[in-house]
Amino acid sequence: MITDEELAIFEYELKKLMDEYRKCVDQSLKLKIQEDMAWLKTAIFSTGSYERTIEN
């Protein structure tokens, strides 16, 4: 189970990755960022607290 603190960190990291993805021009790096974002989204959504994430 993911703690609230870990969830907050995952949400923060996801926001940072999304910003980095928008600025990135290297396609291979973009692919890696997409993979990392997908993992974080899976971890966040698996906690059942995705409504709170979407609202933020």
Side-chain angles (χ1 to χ4, degrees):
M1 184 100 210
I2 297 174
T3 66
D4 286 342
E5 183 178 306
E6 291 170 324
L7 181 60
I9 292 169
F10 286 173
E11 291 171 348
Y12 172 75
E13 291 298 324
L14 179 58
K15 289 175 187 175
K16 281 184 15 184
L17 283 173
M18 291 170 73
D19 186 50
E20 186 176 336
Y21 180 82
R22 283 190 285 274
K23 295 175 183 176
C24 185
V25 293
D26 183 337
Q27 291 301 317
S28 62
L29 183 55
K30 274 188 148 182
L31 181 58
K32 176 62 177 145
I33 293 170
Q34 281 181 322
E35 292 171 358
D36 291 347
M37 288 189 316
W39 186 90
L40 284 170
K41 286 178 184 178
T42 300
I44 291 168
F45 292 151
S46 72
T47 65
S49 61
Y50 57 88
E51 293 105 7
R52 181 175 58 172
T53 303
I54 292 171
E55 290 173 2
N56 293 333

